[in-house]
Amino acid sequence: HVAVLDVAEEAGIALQNELNIKYNGNKVSFIKCDVTDKEMLLEAFKIIKENNGYIDVVVNSAGILDDTPESYEMAININATSLITSSLHAWNIMHKEKDGLGGTIINFSSVAAISKLLYVPVYSATKSAVLKFSTSLGDNIHYSKSGVRVITMCFGVTDTPIIRNTAKVFDKSLTAQSLDKFKLQSPKSAAKAVIEAYKQGASGSVWISTSDKPAFNITNVHNKSIELFNDYVYN
């Protein structure tokens, strides 16, 4: 069973009905939820657990791009704070030392966390937070006790409404020039990458999905970059 959480009620119900017809049964449920509302988010978890007995996989995919002075705090709340809240709650539910059975958390980051995108400093900061949080929570020191895998997906420019918010960037003059560097990929490619990472990914692993290429495990490169900085920190 798949539960979909979103603020867009009409679209969510339509998706629920479409998928239930396609897959012949009550396999999808929609719950209206503003992920920035902690009480609403945790209540959604409670409903899902009560209705289905257990939660095996949590995919934290909510995200917006809005670096404007009026709305950047909302971007931080949606992209980072709510993702951390959801992850920690899921981790506690699934934790083997807390009566859980283990499970998987997949968190959506971005190439903005591993490259330099000057026109979206706030968005880049939120996605860097996702990467750092997820790799830390997913480290084997935690996984060995919890049995909960945490996998990070770094997406390139994907054909979703988020890339059409060019008016919401920090510096509009840099947007077109910067986006020209990327090859637009389809949502289908991104979805396939998530499935591949779920099948193959170890806890704490980092994956990239860009330019319609297959999912690529970049954990070793990420870890080497940490080791290089550790040289300055500890030596």
Side-chain angles (χ1 to χ4, degrees):
H1 188 89
V2 176
V4 179
L5 278 57
D6 204 299
V7 289
E9 188 170 18
E10 187 176 338
I13 291 172
L15 177 64
Q16 166 194 278
N17 295 338
E18 177 190 340
L19 293 175
N20 280 329
I21 290 169
K22 183 175 181 179
Y23 293 104
N24 302 316
N26 186 28
K27 297 195 172 124
V28 179
S29 59
F30 170 75
I31 299 174
K32 184 177 181 180
C33 180
D34 177 354
V35 293
T36 64
D37 184 325
K38 186 176 180 179
E39 287 186 16
M40 187 180 284
L41 178 58
L42 299 191
E43 180 63 22
F45 267 96
K46 182 181 176 183
I47 292 168
I48 295 162
K49 192 169 183 290
E50 287 176 351
N51 290 347
N52 299 286
Y54 193 67
I55 299 173
D56 300 289
V57 182
V58 172
V59 180
N60 290 308
S61 60
I64 64 167
L65 192 163
D66 195 333
D67 276 33
T68 59
E70 301 79 20
S71 302
Y72 75 88
E73 289 175 312
M74 182 186 294
I76 293 170
N77 287 336
I78 293 174
N79 295 358
T81 307
S82 65
L83 178 143
I84 291 171
T85 299
S86 173
S87 296
L88 292 177
H89 192 63
W91 193 72
N92 280 315
I93 290 172
M94 298 172 179
H95 200 298
K96 288 185 175 181
E97 292 183 355
K98 302 180 182 183
D99 299 322
L101 303 172
T104 302
I105 299 167
I106 302 175
N107 287 335
F108 284 13
S109 182
S110 164
V111 294
I114 56 175
S115 58
K116 195 173 184 179
L117 301 184
L118 301 177
Y119 59 98
V120 283
V122 176
Y123 181 78
S124 297
T126 63
K127 292 304 181 178
S128 297
V130 171
L131 176 62
K132 197 70 176 177
F133 168 77
S134 303
T135 52
S136 296
L137 188 65
D139 190 271
N140 194 57
I141 197 168
H142 298 305
Y143 175 68
S144 60
K145 298 175 184 177
S146 69
V148 182
R149 284 191 304 166
V150 185
I151 295 169
T152 310
M153 292 296 310
C154 293
F155 292 105
V157 178
T158 306
D159 191 12
T160 66
I162 199 169
I163 66 163
R164 291 185 270 281
N165 285 339
T166 52
K168 304 285 183 74
V169 299
F170 183 78
D171 188 340
K172 299 181 187 66
S173 67
L174 296 173
T175 308
Q177 177 185 348
S178 299
L179 285 177
D180 283 346
K181 297 177 183 178
F182 298 96
K183 179 185 175 185
L184 190 68
Q185 76 171 352
S186 70
K188 187 174 182 179
S189 290
K192 283 182 178 179
V194 174
I195 294 168
E196 198 59 34
Y198 173 76
K199 288 179 178 178
Q200 296 190 32
S203 190
S205 62
V206 183
W207 295 73
I208 192 168
S209 167
T210 188
S211 306
D212 284 328
K213 296 174 184 175
F216 190 72
N217 189 339
I218 60 169
T219 310
N220 287 340
V221 177
H222 173 266
N223 290 345
K224 283 178 183 176
S225 70
I226 300 295
E227 288 171 12
L228 287 172
F229 284 115
N230 280 348
D231 234 10
Y232 292 100
V233 174
Y234 299 112
N235 296 326

